[in-house]
Amino acid sequence: MPARPNLFLVAAVCWVAWAPPSPAETIVIRAGKVLDVQTREVLTDQAVVVSKQRIEMVVPYAEYKAPADARLLDLSDATLLPGLIDSHTHLLHESDMDRARGDDDLLLEAAQMSEAQRALLGARVAGEMLRAGFTTVRDLGNSGVNGDVALRDAIEAGWIAGPRMMVSTRALSPPGGQFGRLAPAAQGLVEREYAVFSGVEAARRAARQALVDGATCLKVIVGDHGRPVSVEELGAIVEEARRMSRAGFGERPVAAHAVDDLSIRTAVEAGVDSIEHGYGISEKTLQLMAEKGVYWVPTEESVDDPVLPVVAARLGLSVEQLLARGADYRDRKHRLLRRAVELGVPIASGSDSYTKRPGLDRGQAAKLVLHAYQEAGLDRWEILRAATVNAASLLGWRQQVGRIYPGRFADLLAVQGDPLEDIRALDGVRFVMKGGAVVVEK
């Protein structure tokens, strides 16, 4: 059996910075504005009443009489919205542009970092995500052998601070994973990051093993490096996920990492729940996704990304010159994203953030994808829905998170500005609550 990360070490290191808060029995938040992402309504001067981790009621503040022992929080000058959901994270992976690039960096990480080191990295990143207002994430691999499961369990046990996690364990992949060609002596590293299959029954076994190991979703690598996956192989993986759902174990959504249109279409025809990235998608495939209700998780890049000056300097260009080089490609992606919304393709936001960015921690960097959606011309409500109620639906957790509504977990984010005017207002975190526990209060 694979060794589990030493989570006692993780807990000991992180406990200094985190002890689970013990909120009052009832917390009353006075919010200047409450954004109902489901109905697209702005409610003013509201009392959001929190009890036993969940939202008890949302009522006009003037009409509510708080219990004498309630804890009162004044956010009357702030905008309150549901905690954000990032549908595509890699909390136990970090790329350093000074170390290597792309696949080579992941290869070095797999070769040089122990499972315990990966777990410690994940503990740090999880805290950064939560403090930025991401109260739920779907973590899609590059976590070593089941490191994401261990991190999720540590957060649920209250050992460390972090968002609610849906995890995939190792991504399911044809031989080679996402690495390039490796020497025979190095090919064992593939198994540290990917559960390899070849053929329908092997795909089925890989899916079953991931679910036994603790996966609450599955991720499949489709078409990377010209390594195809058949509709039949994907279909077997989807069938195993559905079998778990029918057995009463909750939704087990299947995510397909797919970049070119043929791979995307193959995954859609096989019945996956979401397409990750989808850079080369065609309008015809978008129409098929709309018909089948398949989510798109576009991991777009923003012109606000602080890594752009670094890349430009290495190429001997100004940032303006670098952006001009990619203008046609960027315009095409923006056009397709707007078209997807017009066609009714459900959009869930996903950052795919793992590269170190100057001046930003992981949680701050994860919001850049929302900047990118705004740059693409998406309606602000649509962007907020992608990061809340839509993402919750993709995860199968819509009755638990993604909306400020009675019975949902009290996962909340307050910002100083108005994200309906400029989505970048989400960067100005004023307050974060997860499950009724205050994480950030400024």
Side-chain angles (χ1 to χ4, degrees):
M1 293 179 65
R4 290 174 63 87
N6 187 340
L7 289 178
F8 292 103
L9 175 61
V10 175
V13 171
C14 297
W15 189 258
V16 174
W18 169 255
S22 299
E25 185 67 16
T26 299
I27 299 176
V28 180
I29 302 169
R30 183 178 186 179
K33 294 180 182 177
V34 172
L35 303 187
D36 188 333
V37 292
Q38 180 65 43
T39 63
R40 303 185 184 224
E41 290 182 283
V42 179
L43 308 175
T44 58
D45 199 20
Q46 298 290 300
V48 178
V49 183
V50 175
S51 178
K52 299 178 181 178
Q53 301 188 51
R54 294 182 181 265
I55 297 166
E56 184 176 297
M57 66 178 77
V58 181
V59 296
Y61 185 78
E63 299 176 11
Y64 180 73
K65 183 174 177 57
D69 61 347
R71 179 183 176 188
L72 303 178
L73 299 175
D74 187 2
L75 296 173
S76 57
D77 60 347
T79 301
L80 191 68
L81 63 152
L84 302 177
I85 302 172
D86 191 335
S87 300
H88 191 121
T89 65
H90 300 286
L91 301 191
L92 288 88
H93 170 44
E94 186 166 70
S95 176
D96 188 340
M97 293 181 64
D98 293 330
R99 181 175 60 189
R101 296 181 182 178
D103 295 346
D104 291 340
D105 194 51
L106 180 58
L107 191 61
L108 281 174
E109 194 171 61
Q112 296 177 347
M113 290 185 72
S114 68
E115 299 290 351
Q117 287 174 312
R118 295 285 285 273
L120 288 165
L121 169 64
R124 189 208 85 206
V125 173
E128 293 173 352
M129 292 292 289
L130 181 59
R131 289 188 294 273
F134 289 96
T135 52
T136 300
V137 302
R138 184 180 59 155
D139 206 62
L140 295 178
N142 299 131
S143 305
V145 180
N146 303 336
D148 52 355
V149 174
L151 179 60
R152 177 199 65 196
D153 292 350
I155 292 169
E156 290 183 356
W159 293 2
I160 56 176
R164 305 179 194 283
M165 292 183 67
M166 173 171 277
V167 301
S168 68
T169 68
R170 292 175 297 167
L172 312 183
S173 171
Q178 290 177 280
F179 296 141
R181 188 170 59 184
L182 299 176
Q187 288 179 12
L189 291 172
V190 176
E191 296 286 348
R192 289 199 64 183
E193 295 296 322
Y194 303 96
V196 174
F197 65 85
S198 184
V200 172
E201 289 310 309
R204 190 182 305 279
R205 285 195 299 272
R208 288 178 177 175
Q209 187 62 53
L211 294 167
V212 166
D213 287 343
T216 44
C217 64
L218 297 175
K219 179 185 179 184
V220 191
I221 307 300
V222 185
D224 258 30
H225 294 284
R227 299 161 183 164
V229 177
S230 69
V231 171
E232 292 77 17
E233 288 171 321
L234 276 167
I237 291 168
V238 170
E239 184 181 334
E240 291 305 314
R242 300 292 183 268
R243 192 193 308 275
M244 286 288 286
S245 299
R246 290 195 300 270
F249 291 96
E251 298 293 324
R252 295 292 187 268
V254 179
H257 165 108
V259 174
D260 64 279
D261 193 54
L262 177 60
S263 297
I264 298 166
R265 195 170 187 85
T266 299
V268 173
E269 290 173 348
V272 303
D273 296 282
S274 67
I275 296 297
E276 313 299 307
H277 315 301
Y279 303 128
I281 200 167
S282 67
E283 182 165 333
K284 184 177 180 181
T285 300
L286 283 175
Q287 290 171 339
L288 182 62
M289 289 174 65
E291 292 169 8
K292 289 179 171 286
V294 177
Y295 282 76
W296 186 14
V297 182
T299 53
E300 301 298 316
E301 298 174 345
S302 169
V303 297
D304 294 333
D305 196 330
V307 83
L308 290 177
V310 178
V311 175
R314 291 184 178 182
L315 296 174
L317 301 172
S318 67
V319 172
E320 292 73 18
Q321 289 171 324
L322 179 64
L323 291 173
R325 278 190 176 188
D328 290 345
Y329 177 62
R330 187 167 58 254
D331 289 347
R332 176 186 177 276
K333 291 198 296 179
H334 288 177
R335 187 172 62 253
L336 283 169
L337 184 51
R338 292 192 300 271
R339 183 60 177 149
V341 173
E342 291 170 359
L343 290 169
V345 177
I347 304 295
S349 68
S351 69
D352 191 29
S353 180
Y354 53 83
T355 301
K356 286 185 178 179
R357 285 174 163 82
L360 299 181
D361 67 23
R362 184 70 66 86
Q364 294 164 333
K367 292 179 183 175
L368 289 171
V369 72
L370 305 178
H371 295 203
Y373 295 167
Q374 179 169 267
E375 293 158 15
L378 292 196
D379 173 80
R380 308 294 191 277
W381 277 116
E382 197 64 46
I383 299 170
L384 292 174
R385 286 170 60 83
T388 54
V389 67
N390 284 10
S393 294
L394 169 59
L395 273 58
W397 291 356
R398 187 166 185 154
Q399 299 305 313
Q400 304 297 325
V401 297
R403 186 185 180 192
I404 301 177
Y405 193 76
R408 306 293 200 273
F409 278 114
D411 293 355
L412 305 170
L413 166 64
V415 297
Q416 195 61 49
D418 186 353
L420 293 175
E421 293 181 3
D422 185 345
I423 208 69
R424 291 174 294 185
L426 295 175
D427 299 346
V429 174
R430 171 85 180 276
F431 173 87
V432 176
M433 171 179 278
K434 178 195 167 194
V438 176
V439 178
V440 175
E441 185 177 7
K442 298 180 181 178

mmCIF file with all atom_site columns, all heavy atoms in Angstrom, residues 272-291:
data_model
loop_
_atom_site.group_PDB
_atom_site.id
_atom_site.type_symbol
_atom_site.label_atom_id
_atom_site.label_alt_id
_atom_site.label_comp_id
_atom_site.label_asym_id
_atom_site.label_entity_id
_atom_site.label_seq_id
_atom_site.pdbx_PDB_ins_code
_atom_site.Cartn_x
_atom_site.Cartn_y
_atom_site.Cartn_z
_atom_site.occupancy
_atom_site.B_iso_or_equiv
_atom_site.pdbx_formal_charge
_atom_site.auth_seq_id
_atom_site.auth_comp_id
_atom_site.auth_asym_id
_atom_site.auth_atom_id
_atom_site.pdbx_PDB_model_num
ATOM 1   N N   . VAL A 1 272 ? -19.133 12.469 -19.742 1.00 0.00 ? 272 VAL A N   1
ATOM 2   C CA  . VAL A 1 272 ? -18.483 13.130 -18.608 1.00 0.00 ? 272 VAL A CA  1
ATOM 3   C C   . VAL A 1 272 ? -19.330 14.310 -18.140 1.00 0.00 ? 272 VAL A C   1
ATOM 4   O O   . VAL A 1 272 ? -20.213 14.791 -18.853 1.00 0.00 ? 272 VAL A O   1
ATOM 5   C CB  . VAL A 1 272 ? -17.058 13.608 -18.969 1.00 0.00 ? 272 VAL A CB  1
ATOM 6   C CG1 . VAL A 1 272 ? -16.197 12.448 -19.446 1.00 0.00 ? 272 VAL A CG1 1
ATOM 7   C CG2 . VAL A 1 272 ? -17.088 14.730 -20.000 1.00 0.00 ? 272 VAL A CG2 1
ATOM 8   N N   . ASP A 1 273 ? -19.030 14.780 -16.941 1.00 0.00 ? 273 ASP A N   1
ATOM 9   C CA  . ASP A 1 273 ? -19.790 15.896 -16.367 1.00 0.00 ? 273 ASP A CA  1
ATOM 10  C C   . ASP A 1 273 ? -19.204 17.253 -16.716 1.00 0.00 ? 273 ASP A C   1
ATOM 11  O O   . ASP A 1 273 ? -19.934 18.241 -16.765 1.00 0.00 ? 273 ASP A O   1
ATOM 12  C CB  . ASP A 1 273 ? -19.848 15.747 -14.847 1.00 0.00 ? 273 ASP A CB  1
ATOM 13  C CG  . ASP A 1 273 ? -20.602 14.495 -14.439 1.00 0.00 ? 273 ASP A CG  1
ATOM 14  O OD1 . ASP A 1 273 ? -21.839 14.504 -14.482 1.00 0.00 ? 273 ASP A OD1 1
ATOM 15  O OD2 . ASP A 1 273 ? -19.935 13.494 -14.110 1.00 0.00 ? 273 ASP A OD2 1
ATOM 16  N N   . SER A 1 274 ? -17.888 17.306 -16.928 1.00 0.00 ? 274 SER A N   1
ATOM 17  C CA  . SER A 1 274 ? -17.276 18.604 -17.220 1.00 0.00 ? 274 SER A CA  1
ATOM 18  C C   . SER A 1 274 ? -16.070 18.456 -18.124 1.00 0.00 ? 274 SER A C   1
ATOM 19  O O   . SER A 1 274 ? -15.375 17.427 -18.107 1.00 0.00 ? 274 SER A O   1
ATOM 20  C CB  . SER A 1 274 ? -16.860 19.318 -15.929 1.00 0.00 ? 274 SER A CB  1
ATOM 21  O OG  . SER A 1 274 ? -15.813 18.632 -15.271 1.00 0.00 ? 274 SER A OG  1
ATOM 22  N N   . ILE A 1 275 ? -15.846 19.508 -18.895 1.00 0.00 ? 275 ILE A N   1
ATOM 23  C CA  . ILE A 1 275 ? -14.655 19.631 -19.725 1.00 0.00 ? 275 ILE A CA  1
ATOM 24  C C   . ILE A 1 275 ? -13.762 20.680 -19.087 1.00 0.00 ? 275 ILE A C   1
ATOM 25  O O   . ILE A 1 275 ? -14.177 21.824 -18.868 1.00 0.00 ? 275 ILE A O   1
ATOM 26  C CB  . ILE A 1 275 ? -15.013 20.063 -21.167 1.00 0.00 ? 275 ILE A CB  1
ATOM 27  C CG1 . ILE A 1 275 ? -15.864 18.993 -21.847 1.00 0.00 ? 275 ILE A CG1 1
ATOM 28  C CG2 . ILE A 1 275 ? -13.745 20.360 -21.970 1.00 0.00 ? 275 ILE A CG2 1
ATOM 29  C CD1 . ILE A 1 275 ? -15.180 17.648 -22.035 1.00 0.00 ? 275 ILE A CD1 1
ATOM 30  N N   . GLU A 1 276 ? -12.534 20.279 -18.789 1.00 0.00 ? 276 GLU A N   1
ATOM 31  C CA  . GLU A 1 276 ? -11.556 21.195 -18.201 1.00 0.00 ? 276 GLU A CA  1
ATOM 32  C C   . GLU A 1 276 ? -10.685 21.781 -19.300 1.00 0.00 ? 276 GLU A C   1
ATOM 33  O O   . GLU A 1 276 ? -10.213 21.060 -20.175 1.00 0.00 ? 276 GLU A O   1
ATOM 34  C CB  . GLU A 1 276 ? -10.681 20.455 -17.189 1.00 0.00 ? 276 GLU A CB  1
ATOM 35  C CG  . GLU A 1 276 ? -11.447 19.577 -16.206 1.00 0.00 ? 276 GLU A CG  1
ATOM 36  C CD  . GLU A 1 276 ? -12.425 20.365 -15.357 1.00 0.00 ? 276 GLU A CD  1
ATOM 37  O OE1 . GLU A 1 276 ? -11.990 21.351 -14.731 1.00 0.00 ? 276 GLU A OE1 1
ATOM 38  O OE2 . GLU A 1 276 ? -13.619 19.982 -15.319 1.00 0.00 ? 276 GLU A OE2 1
ATOM 39  N N   . HIS A 1 277 ? -10.498 23.064 -19.277 1.00 0.00 ? 277 HIS A N   1
ATOM 40  C CA  . HIS A 1 277 ? -9.681  23.829 -20.239 1.00 0.00 ? 277 HIS A CA  1
ATOM 41  C C   . HIS A 1 277 ? -10.447 24.053 -21.544 1.00 0.00 ? 277 HIS A C   1
ATOM 42  O O   . HIS A 1 277 ? -11.001 25.111 -21.758 1.00 0.00 ? 277 HIS A O   1
ATOM 43  C CB  . HIS A 1 277 ? -8.325  23.171 -20.493 1.00 0.00 ? 277 HIS A CB  1
ATOM 44  C CG  . HIS A 1 277 ? -7.629  22.711 -19.261 1.00 0.00 ? 277 HIS A CG  1
ATOM 45  N ND1 . HIS A 1 277 ? -7.302  23.574 -18.229 1.00 0.00 ? 277 HIS A ND1 1
ATOM 46  C CD2 . HIS A 1 277 ? -7.206  21.475 -18.863 1.00 0.00 ? 277 HIS A CD2 1
ATOM 47  C CE1 . HIS A 1 277 ? -6.711  22.901 -17.255 1.00 0.00 ? 277 HIS A CE1 1
ATOM 48  N NE2 . HIS A 1 277 ? -6.651  21.626 -17.603 1.00 0.00 ? 277 HIS A NE2 1
ATOM 49  N N   . GLY A 1 278 ? -10.446 23.068 -22.425 1.00 0.00 ? 278 GLY A N   1
ATOM 50  C CA  . GLY A 1 278 ? -11.232 23.168 -23.651 1.00 0.00 ? 278 GLY A CA  1
ATOM 51  C C   . GLY A 1 278 ? -10.789 24.269 -24.594 1.00 0.00 ? 278 GLY A C   1
ATOM 52  O O   . GLY A 1 278 ? -11.610 24.850 -25.312 1.00 0.00 ? 278 GLY A O   1
ATOM 53  N N   . TYR A 1 279 ? -9.493  24.547 -24.641 1.00 0.00 ? 279 TYR A N   1
ATOM 54  C CA  . TYR A 1 279 ? -9.006  25.683 -25.427 1.00 0.00 ? 279 TYR A CA  1
ATOM 55  C C   . TYR A 1 279 ? -9.344  25.580 -26.911 1.00 0.00 ? 279 TYR A C   1
ATOM 56  O O   . TYR A 1 279 ? -9.604  26.579 -27.575 1.00 0.00 ? 279 TYR A O   1
ATOM 57  C CB  . TYR A 1 279 ? -7.490  25.835 -25.260 1.00 0.00 ? 279 TYR A CB  1
ATOM 58  C CG  . TYR A 1 279 ? -7.047  25.993 -23.829 1.00 0.00 ? 279 TYR A CG  1
ATOM 59  C CD1 . TYR A 1 279 ? -6.052  25.177 -23.287 1.00 0.00 ? 279 TYR A CD1 1
ATOM 60  C CD2 . TYR A 1 279 ? -7.621  26.956 -22.996 1.00 0.00 ? 279 TYR A CD2 1
ATOM 61  C CE1 . TYR A 1 279 ? -5.636  25.320 -21.970 1.00 0.00 ? 279 TYR A CE1 1
ATOM 62  C CE2 . TYR A 1 279 ? -7.214  27.099 -21.680 1.00 0.00 ? 279 TYR A CE2 1
ATOM 63  C CZ  . TYR A 1 279 ? -6.220  26.279 -21.167 1.00 0.00 ? 279 TYR A CZ  1
ATOM 64  O OH  . TYR A 1 279 ? -5.825  26.415 -19.868 1.00 0.00 ? 279 TYR A OH  1
ATOM 65  N N   . GLY A 1 280 ? -9.343  24.366 -27.448 1.00 0.00 ? 280 GLY A N   1
ATOM 66  C CA  . GLY A 1 280 ? -9.566  24.209 -28.888 1.00 0.00 ? 280 GLY A CA  1
ATOM 67  C C   . GLY A 1 280 ? -10.989 23.838 -29.251 1.00 0.00 ? 280 GLY A C   1
ATOM 68  O O   . GLY A 1 280 ? -11.237 23.297 -30.334 1.00 0.00 ? 280 GLY A O   1
ATOM 69  N N   . ILE A 1 281 ? -11.933 24.126 -28.393 1.00 0.00 ? 281 ILE A N   1
ATOM 70  C CA  . ILE A 1 281 ? -13.313 23.705 -28.603 1.00 0.00 ? 281 ILE A CA  1
ATOM 71  C C   . ILE A 1 281 ? -13.942 24.416 -29.795 1.00 0.00 ? 281 ILE A C   1
ATOM 72  O O   . ILE A 1 281 ? -13.618 25.573 -30.099 1.00 0.00 ? 281 ILE A O   1
ATOM 73  C CB  . ILE A 1 281 ? -14.131 23.967 -27.315 1.00 0.00 ? 281 ILE A CB  1
ATOM 74  C CG1 . ILE A 1 281 ? -15.407 23.138 -27.289 1.00 0.00 ? 281 ILE A CG1 1
ATOM 75  C CG2 . ILE A 1 281 ? -14.447 25.458 -27.159 1.00 0.00 ? 281 ILE A CG2 1
ATOM 76  C CD1 . ILE A 1 281 ? -16.070 23.113 -25.922 1.00 0.00 ? 281 ILE A CD1 1
ATOM 77  N N   . SER A 1 282 ? -14.826 23.717 -30.487 1.00 0.00 ? 282 SER A N   1
ATOM 78  C CA  . SER A 1 282 ? -15.547 24.294 -31.625 1.00 0.00 ? 282 SER A CA  1
ATOM 79  C C   . SER A 1 282 ? -16.973 24.645 -31.208 1.00 0.00 ? 282 SER A C   1
ATOM 80  O O   . SER A 1 282 ? -17.482 24.144 -30.203 1.00 0.00 ? 282 SER A O   1
ATOM 81  C CB  . SER A 1 282 ? -15.604 23.292 -32.778 1.00 0.00 ? 282 SER A CB  1
ATOM 82  O OG  . SER A 1 282 ? -16.412 22.178 -32.426 1.00 0.00 ? 282 SER A OG  1
ATOM 83  N N   . GLU A 1 283 ? -17.621 25.484 -31.987 1.00 0.00 ? 283 GLU A N   1
ATOM 84  C CA  . GLU A 1 283 ? -19.004 25.834 -31.680 1.00 0.00 ? 283 GLU A CA  1
ATOM 85  C C   . GLU A 1 283 ? -19.902 24.605 -31.790 1.00 0.00 ? 283 GLU A C   1
ATOM 86  O O   . GLU A 1 283 ? -20.857 24.455 -31.021 1.00 0.00 ? 283 GLU A O   1
ATOM 87  C CB  . GLU A 1 283 ? -19.505 26.939 -32.608 1.00 0.00 ? 283 GLU A CB  1
ATOM 88  C CG  . GLU A 1 283 ? -20.916 27.367 -32.284 1.00 0.00 ? 283 GLU A CG  1
ATOM 89  C CD  . GLU A 1 283 ? -21.328 28.674 -32.932 1.00 0.00 ? 283 GLU A CD  1
ATOM 90  O OE1 . GLU A 1 283 ? -20.450 29.501 -33.213 1.00 0.00 ? 283 GLU A OE1 1
ATOM 91  O OE2 . GLU A 1 283 ? -22.542 28.865 -33.152 1.00 0.00 ? 283 GLU A OE2 1
ATOM 92  N N   . LYS A 1 284 ? -19.593 23.713 -32.714 1.00 0.00 ? 284 LYS A N   1
ATOM 93  C CA  . LYS A 1 284 ? -20.395 22.497 -32.861 1.00 0.00 ? 284 LYS A CA  1
ATOM 94  C C   . LYS A 1 284 ? -20.343 21.666 -31.579 1.00 0.00 ? 284 LYS A C   1
ATOM 95  O O   . LYS A 1 284 ? -21.368 21.119 -31.123 1.00 0.00 ? 284 LYS A O   1
ATOM 96  C CB  . LYS A 1 284 ? -19.895 21.684 -34.051 1.00 0.00 ? 284 LYS A CB  1
ATOM 97  C CG  . LYS A 1 284 ? -20.730 20.443 -34.354 1.00 0.00 ? 284 LYS A CG  1
ATOM 98  C CD  . LYS A 1 284 ? -20.208 19.727 -35.594 1.00 0.00 ? 284 LYS A CD  1
ATOM 99  C CE  . LYS A 1 284 ? -21.047 18.488 -35.908 1.00 0.00 ? 284 LYS A CE  1
ATOM 100 N NZ  . LYS A 1 284 ? -20.531 17.772 -37.106 1.00 0.00 ? 284 LYS A NZ  1
ATOM 101 N N   . THR A 1 285 ? -19.163 21.572 -30.987 1.00 0.00 ? 285 THR A N   1
ATOM 102 C CA  . THR A 1 285 ? -19.036 20.805 -29.749 1.00 0.00 ? 285 THR A CA  1
ATOM 103 C C   . THR A 1 285 ? -19.702 21.538 -28.590 1.00 0.00 ? 285 THR A C   1
ATOM 104 O O   . THR A 1 285 ? -20.296 20.904 -27.707 1.00 0.00 ? 285 THR A O   1
ATOM 105 C CB  . THR A 1 285 ? -17.552 20.533 -29.444 1.00 0.00 ? 285 THR A CB  1
ATOM 106 O OG1 . THR A 1 285 ? -16.981 19.792 -30.534 1.00 0.00 ? 285 THR A OG1 1
ATOM 107 C CG2 . THR A 1 285 ? -17.392 19.719 -28.171 1.00 0.00 ? 285 THR A CG2 1
ATOM 108 N N   . LEU A 1 286 ? -19.633 22.854 -28.597 1.00 0.00 ? 286 LEU A N   1
ATOM 109 C CA  . LEU A 1 286 ? -20.352 23.624 -27.579 1.00 0.00 ? 286 LEU A CA  1
ATOM 110 C C   . LEU A 1 286 ? -21.848 23.342 -27.633 1.00 0.00 ? 286 LEU A C   1
ATOM 111 O O   . LEU A 1 286 ? -22.511 23.215 -26.600 1.00 0.00 ? 286 LEU A O   1
ATOM 112 C CB  . LEU A 1 286 ? -20.101 25.117 -27.761 1.00 0.00 ? 286 LEU A CB  1
ATOM 113 C CG  . LEU A 1 286 ? -18.751 25.671 -27.290 1.00 0.00 ? 286 LEU A CG  1
ATOM 114 C CD1 . LEU A 1 286 ? -18.625 27.144 -27.669 1.00 0.00 ? 286 LEU A CD1 1
ATOM 115 C CD2 . LEU A 1 286 ? -18.570 25.492 -25.788 1.00 0.00 ? 286 LEU A CD2 1
ATOM 116 N N   . GLN A 1 287 ? -22.375 23.242 -28.828 1.00 0.00 ? 287 GLN A N   1
ATOM 117 C CA  . GLN A 1 287 ? -23.804 22.942 -28.986 1.00 0.00 ? 287 GLN A CA  1
ATOM 118 C C   . GLN A 1 287 ? -24.135 21.578 -28.406 1.00 0.00 ? 287 GLN A C   1
ATOM 119 O O   . GLN A 1 287 ? -25.172 21.401 -27.748 1.00 0.00 ? 287 GLN A O   1
ATOM 120 C CB  . GLN A 1 287 ? -24.187 23.008 -30.465 1.00 0.00 ? 287 GLN A CB  1
ATOM 121 C CG  . GLN A 1 287 ? -24.163 24.415 -31.033 1.00 0.00 ? 287 GLN A CG  1
ATOM 122 C CD  . GLN A 1 287 ? -24.340 24.451 -32.542 1.00 0.00 ? 287 GLN A CD  1
ATOM 123 O OE1 . GLN A 1 287 ? -24.101 23.462 -33.232 1.00 0.00 ? 287 GLN A OE1 1
ATOM 124 N NE2 . GLN A 1 287 ? -24.737 25.601 -33.063 1.00 0.00 ? 287 GLN A NE2 1
ATOM 125 N N   . LEU A 1 288 ? -23.249 20.602 -28.625 1.00 0.00 ? 288 LEU A N   1
ATOM 126 C CA  . LEU A 1 288 ? -23.460 19.263 -28.066 1.00 0.00 ? 288 LEU A CA  1
ATOM 127 C C   . LEU A 1 288 ? -23.402 19.304 -26.534 1.00 0.00 ? 288 LEU A C   1
ATOM 128 O O   . LEU A 1 288 ? -24.209 18.650 -25.861 1.00 0.00 ? 288 LEU A O   1
ATOM 129 C CB  . LEU A 1 288 ? -22.407 18.299 -28.611 1.00 0.00 ? 288 LEU A CB  1
ATOM 130 C CG  . LEU A 1 288 ? -22.527 16.835 -28.157 1.00 0.00 ? 288 LEU A CG  1
ATOM 131 C CD1 . LEU A 1 288 ? -23.847 16.230 -28.636 1.00 0.00 ? 288 LEU A CD1 1
ATOM 132 C CD2 . LEU A 1 288 ? -21.342 16.017 -28.684 1.00 0.00 ? 288 LEU A CD2 1
ATOM 133 N N   . MET A 1 289 ? -22.486 20.089 -25.998 1.00 0.00 ? 289 MET A N   1
ATOM 134 C CA  . MET A 1 289 ? -22.386 20.221 -24.539 1.00 0.00 ? 289 MET A CA  1
ATOM 135 C C   . MET A 1 289 ? -23.656 20.842 -23.965 1.00 0.00 ? 289 MET A C   1
ATOM 136 O O   . MET A 1 289 ? -24.140 20.419 -22.914 1.00 0.00 ? 289 MET A O   1
ATOM 137 C CB  . MET A 1 289 ? -21.161 21.065 -24.169 1.00 0.00 ? 289 MET A CB  1
ATOM 138 C CG  . MET A 1 289 ? -19.843 20.366 -24.422 1.00 0.00 ? 289 MET A CG  1
ATOM 139 S SD  . MET A 1 289 ? -18.404 21.446 -24.144 1.00 0.00 ? 289 MET A SD  1
ATOM 140 C CE  . MET A 1 289 ? -18.521 21.773 -22.389 1.00 0.00 ? 289 MET A CE  1
ATOM 141 N N   . ALA A 1 290 ? -24.188 21.840 -24.663 1.00 0.00 ? 290 ALA A N   1
ATOM 142 C CA  . ALA A 1 290 ? -25.433 22.472 -24.201 1.00 0.00 ? 290 ALA A CA  1
ATOM 143 C C   . ALA A 1 290 ? -26.577 21.467 -24.197 1.00 0.00 ? 290 ALA A C   1
ATOM 144 O O   . ALA A 1 290 ? -27.382 21.421 -23.252 1.00 0.00 ? 290 ALA A O   1
ATOM 145 C CB  . ALA A 1 290 ? -25.766 23.670 -25.091 1.00 0.00 ? 290 ALA A CB  1
ATOM 146 N N   . GLU A 1 291 ? -26.649 20.643 -25.235 1.00 0.00 ? 291 GLU A N   1
ATOM 147 C CA  . GLU A 1 291 ? -27.717 19.644 -25.325 1.00 0.00 ? 291 GLU A CA  1
ATOM 148 C C   . GLU A 1 291 ? -27.622 18.625 -24.199 1.00 0.00 ? 291 GLU A C   1
ATOM 149 O O   . GLU A 1 291 ? -28.645 18.202 -23.639 1.00 0.00 ? 291 GLU A O   1
ATOM 150 C CB  . GLU A 1 291 ? -27.640 18.926 -26.681 1.00 0.00 ? 291 GLU A CB  1
ATOM 151 C CG  . GLU A 1 291 ? -27.977 19.805 -27.871 1.00 0.00 ? 291 GLU A CG  1
ATOM 152 C CD  . GLU A 1 291 ? -27.630 19.132 -29.193 1.00 0.00 ? 291 GLU A CD  1
ATOM 153 O OE1 . GLU A 1 291 ? -27.266 17.921 -29.168 1.00 0.00 ? 291 GLU A OE1 1
ATOM 154 O OE2 . GLU A 1 291 ? -27.686 19.804 -30.247 1.00 0.00 ? 291 GLU A OE2 1
#
